[in-house]
């Protein structure tokens, strides 16, 4: 790094916040799955929006690109430098203030570096609820989950991270600051700019703070593990439960028998919730106001009807929070119980999930006899984590990807439901998106970042 | 109109669908409140996306601008020609097919010209619910409500029209067609383009079809008319009810005593729901699954607690659907009961509604002693229709506007919560938006419509 550039950065953020020593930078130059590595000039840690703006202006003058980084828990390499040009990593972690909590407005203002669990807790302290919840919540940051429009386990009821945002503050590519920190449920005064920056993975500007929506905190939940014959039964069950119980259906997770077996083999304390084996399962959760007993009995009535009609083979309703936690532990152990295989994060219309599974299984059986696939995911969102093994197949990843992605494309689906494009799917997406849509994205990129300094080599 | 241009249009849509006779065009050249009039070359009525695309291409070659028009029920002149240049009105009404209803996916695909009630009914026929509901629902069209991101009475629970959209099909300024008709709950593969076109009032492209989200249909509702001392009590009551009852609070409408009196004077059959007069009222509705009786009793318990604590002065809970309808009729009669005054459609953070009313009342009293204001609206969304009379003040509209808009601006609010900018607030908005935000909007406009042919003279 040029000493003058370093001095200029230090003048903005303080010398201690320009990291150049390898021991300090190493963790910032690699993603957490260690799939991507790239060296940048340094890691800069601003403490305020003004400091971010000054750093961006300086980088603009020097022609240095900027890689914004939050908790660095992304799965697509979107926060890792590419090494293809002069870059700095801009780490937002010091901007971790919750600026305001307003329970009467059901909103709070958080800076980009706030860790998700801290935001959840701030909402809880105010008697409210922030519904975004995902595995990395103890280390991922607000700026990161907004920039990747993170999903998680509550999307069915509350929507993606995008749907939890009322306003944003963004440092633009020229270092100017757009103060869009409005807390308005309704505002029809022109183009909705916030949605442009949310999910853009830092390629159009740097989100430095956000106004987040809070919700009423449900007072009770009821959980069941349900055995089914086919994925089609799962989709029909979801429609029936929502028709009967309404929007309180807050989770609806599909699990194949093979996933359950992997968990039973992997986790010592795990138990099969239903004595007899069945080909497919669904983990259902209801959340609502009222008592645990009343919610449990509503779920029981609904499921008994389904069993009577033959739409469900069997069901185990959790009799306590402890039992509910054990059911969730099975679902949450699936990723670690079947690690060495080719993973996908895809989505289709909810009604097309059965067809997707049917087509992928048929194509896999043809190309890779004896293949073992692990199918699970947020079927209520049409989102499957479709993992294909065993390990030997990892070497043939492109062929396996091709089968899954072609089936997804044939059904009008998405090759990245939750995890974004980053570096991982930047090339692949050009095979799937209408060229016109890519052109539209490029023209927005040119309009907002004409010099291409915002997180280059990601998304587009 | 040049005869050749007319022939070329007729070759695309058929001669009968190029309207030039004044008797046919008159209704298309004026908005329904008759505030805006402008003459265009003709009204063109395409029947398909391809026809729209061909018309846009032709207009591009001829340098003729396009004013898209749906049910023509807008309140800001956004669908009326300005007369400032050569334009055609593109009326989408013939594109009125519901292309698909998928109850298992909780979605439907509707063309831009579908009337809102027809979409609501298609959802209902499939056992589902499309929650957008507003006064013009019998004539407004899907393309219009998407382009203006319409609000209405269900925003508190379900969000604005924007939040009901999974995908859109758009004819761009160069006549190319972006097929974004994806029905995906999760899709993180690049910039979210649909949100750019939703709410853009046709200035970035023409929405020709959309995939709309459906919901579970609530089986019961409970309704109450609640008397309060102050607007601050209304905001606190909302937080308390949502905390206690959860997201089933589906409407929360503020009504001032003066609004109620106007309705009682105007509508013969209207009755004061509570014998004693009170300064403020709220109309609350819960919607949920379960029975009418159970919902009613939940509302009763919650309100009794509030009355005991002195947070509510009195309350009348509807004992039947008939009584509930009578309460809603009061709320819905307010606009026609106080017509001749200066109207506003503003929003602030929900918690700031009391402060907004306080500041506007103080400023009004100072400038216009004896002024009568009619305050009502969707306070659960921070959205007030703040109408100020009597009639004599209409001549002093700019001064009255200034008082309201300055108070709104001082509280970080919006001068157009529901109704868009159109022609009506196109100039005013430049006083309120950060210049940077206007620049951002202009650069998006340039990127997507470089020749300025899409609904010129609106929004920007």
């Amino acid at each position: 790094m040029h000493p003058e550039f370093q001095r200029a950065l230090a003048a903005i953020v303080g010398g201690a916040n320009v990291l150049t020593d390898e021991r300090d930078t190493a963790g910032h130059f690699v993603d957490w799955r260690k799939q991507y590595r790239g060296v940048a000039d340094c890691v800069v840690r601003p403490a305020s929006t003004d400091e971010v703006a000054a750093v961006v202006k300086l980088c603009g003058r020097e022609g240095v690109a900027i890689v914004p980084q939050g908790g660095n828990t992304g799965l697509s390499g979107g926060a890792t430098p590419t090494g293809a040009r002069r870059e700095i990593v801009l780490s937002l972690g010091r901007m971790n203030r919750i600026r305001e909590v307003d329970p009467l407005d059901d909103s709070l203002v958080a800076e980009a570096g706030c860790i998700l669990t801290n935001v959840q807790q701030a909402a809880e302290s105010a008697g409210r609820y922030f519904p975004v919840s995902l595995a990395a919540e103890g280390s991922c940051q607000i700026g990161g989950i907004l920039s990747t429009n993170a999903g998680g386990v509550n999307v069915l009821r509350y929507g993606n991270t995008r749907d939890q945002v009322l306003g944003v503050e963004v440092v633009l590519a020229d270092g100017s600051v757009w103060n869009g920190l409005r807390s308005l449920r309704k505002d029809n005064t022109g183009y909705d700019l916030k949605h442009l920056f949310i999910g853009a993975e830092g390629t159009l500007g740097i989100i430095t703070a956000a106004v987040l929506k809070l919700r009423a905190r449900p007072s009770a939940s009821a959980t069941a593990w349900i055995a089914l014959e086919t994925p089609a039964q799962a989709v029909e069950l979801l429609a029936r439960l929502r028709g009967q119980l309404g929007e309180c259906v807050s989770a609806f997770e599909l699990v194949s028998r093979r996933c359950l077996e992997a968990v039973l083999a992997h986790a010592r304390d795990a138990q099969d919730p239903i004595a007899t084996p069945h080909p497919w399962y669904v983990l259902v959760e209801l959340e609502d106001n009222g008592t645990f007993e009343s919610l449990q009995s509503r779920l029981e009535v609904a499921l008994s009807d389904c069993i009577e009609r033959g739409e469900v083979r069997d069901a185990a309703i959790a009799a306590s929070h402890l039992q509910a936690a054990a059911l969730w532990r099975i679902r949450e152990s699936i990723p670690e119980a079947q690690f060495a295989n080719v993973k996908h994060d895809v989505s289709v219309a909810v009604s097309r999930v059965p067809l997707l599974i049917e087509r992928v299984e048929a194509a896999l059986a043809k190309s890779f006899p004896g293949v073992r696939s692990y199918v699970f995911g947020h079927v209520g969102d049409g989102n499957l984590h479709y993992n294909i093994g065993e390990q030997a197949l990892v070497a043939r990843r492109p062929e396996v990807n091709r089968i899954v992605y072609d089936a997804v494309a044939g059904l009008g689906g998405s090759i990245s439901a939750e995890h974004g494009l980053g570096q991982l799917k930047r090339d692949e997406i050009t095979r799937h998106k209408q060229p016109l849509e890519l052109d539209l994205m490029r023209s927005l990129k040119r309009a907002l970042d004409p010099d291409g300094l915002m997180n280059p080599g990601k998304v587009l």
Side-chain angles (χ1 to χ4, degrees), chain A residues 87 116 133 144 171 222 234 246 290 297 328 343 360 362 401 409:
Chain A
E87 290 178 323
L116 175 51
S133 174
V171 174
S297 106
W328 271 107
K343 299 185 192 305
V360 173
N401 284 169

Side-chain angles (χ1 to χ4, degrees), chain A residues 104-366:
Chain A
L104 287 181
D105 187 47
D106 259 345
S107 70
L108 67 73
V109 183
E111 292 183 344
C114 289
I115 288 172
L116 175 51
T117 43
N118 293 344
V119 169
Q120 293 167 343
Q121 279 161 19
E124 195 171 343
S125 301
R128 288 297 190 255
Y129 181 50
F130 184 66
V132 177
S133 174
L134 42 88
E137 61 194 22
S139 42
C140 71
Q141 296 173 7
I142 292 302
I145 66 167
L146 263 70
S147 294
T148 56
N149 183 29
V153 294
N154 282 325
V155 175
L156 177 60
R157 176 159 185 184
Y158 298 101
N160 294 287
T161 297
R162 179 185 299 287
D163 303 304
Q164 321 310 326
V165 181
L166 290 169
V168 290
E169 178 186 82
V170 180
V171 174
L172 301 171
D174 65 358
S176 56
V177 179
W178 173 47
N179 181 352
L181 287 179
R182 291 187 282 255
S183 181
L184 301 175
R185 310 277 154 170
K186 286 181 174 172
D187 177 24
N188 280 341
T189 57
Y191 309 152
D192 195 316
L193 300 172
K194 69 175 178 296
H195 282 303
L196 200 52
F197 297 103
I198 298 169
E201 304 188 34
T203 62
L204 299 178
I206 300 161
I207 296 174
T208 48
V211 187
L212 303 174
K213 265 188 230 175
L214 304 180
R215 315 279 181 150
R217 172 168 289 281
S219 60
S221 65
T223 313
W225 186 265
I226 297 166
L228 299 167
E229 184 76 35
T230 61
Q233 281 190 336
V235 170
E236 284 154 19
L237 177 64
L238 174 64
R240 191 173 287 282
L241 289 181
R242 294 185 84 185
Q244 200 163 338
L245 301 169
E247 310 238 327
C248 68
V249 182
S250 58
F252 198 88
E253 301 282 310
L254 187 71
V255 176
S256 72
R257 176 73 197 171
R258 185 168 288 143
C259 288
L260 175 60
E261 281 171 3
V263 171
L264 295 175
H266 169 84
R268 290 207 178 162
D269 59 335
Q271 280 194 314
D272 193 335
I274 295 174
T276 338
H278 298 278
W280 293 92
Y281 303 96
V282 155
L283 175 63
V284 173
E285 187 166 83
L286 310 187
E287 284 189 326
D288 208 349
N289 285 64
T291 62
F292 173 68
E293 290 72 24
S294 73
L295 208 55
Q296 204 193 23
S297 106
R298 279 160 71 192
L299 183 55
E300 212 170 305
V301 168
L303 288 176
S304 309
D305 287 356
C306 295
I307 291 176
E308 240 168 65
R309 279 191 303 264
E311 295 161 1
V312 156
R313 289 167 66 140
D314 203 350
I317 299 181
S320 66
H321 291 295
L322 222 64
Q323 283 188 11
L327 296 179
W328 271 107
R329 217 158 35 241
I330 294 175
R331 166 63 185 86
E332 282 159 3
S333 306
I334 299 173
E336 61 204 61
Q338 42 80 50
F339 203 78
N341 50 35
V342 184
K343 299 185 192 305
H344 302 91
D345 163 43
V346 297
S347 69
V348 291
V350 176
S351 56
R352 291 177 174 176
V353 165
L355 199 52
L356 176 68
I357 296 174
E358 191 184 309
R359 289 189 184 176
V360 173
E361 291 302 305
L364 284 174
K366 215 165 132 191

Side-chain angles (χ1 to χ4, degrees), chain A residues 353-410:
Chain A
V353 165
L355 199 52
L356 176 68
I357 296 174
E358 191 184 309
R359 289 189 184 176
V360 173
E361 291 302 305
L364 284 174
K366 215 165 132 191
S367 298
F368 303 105
V371 73
R372 297 168 69 86
S373 54
Y374 298 85
V375 182
F376 65 104
H378 320 291
V379 74
D381 315 318
N383 177 199
L384 292 182
H385 297 300
Y386 210 124
N387 298 349
I388 297 159
E390 303 296 323
Q391 185 151 16
L393 276 190
V394 174
R396 299 177 69 180
R397 183 188 304 271
E399 292 165 79
V400 179
N401 284 169
R402 186 60 46 241
I403 286 173
V404 174
Y405 291 157
D406 284 353
V408 166

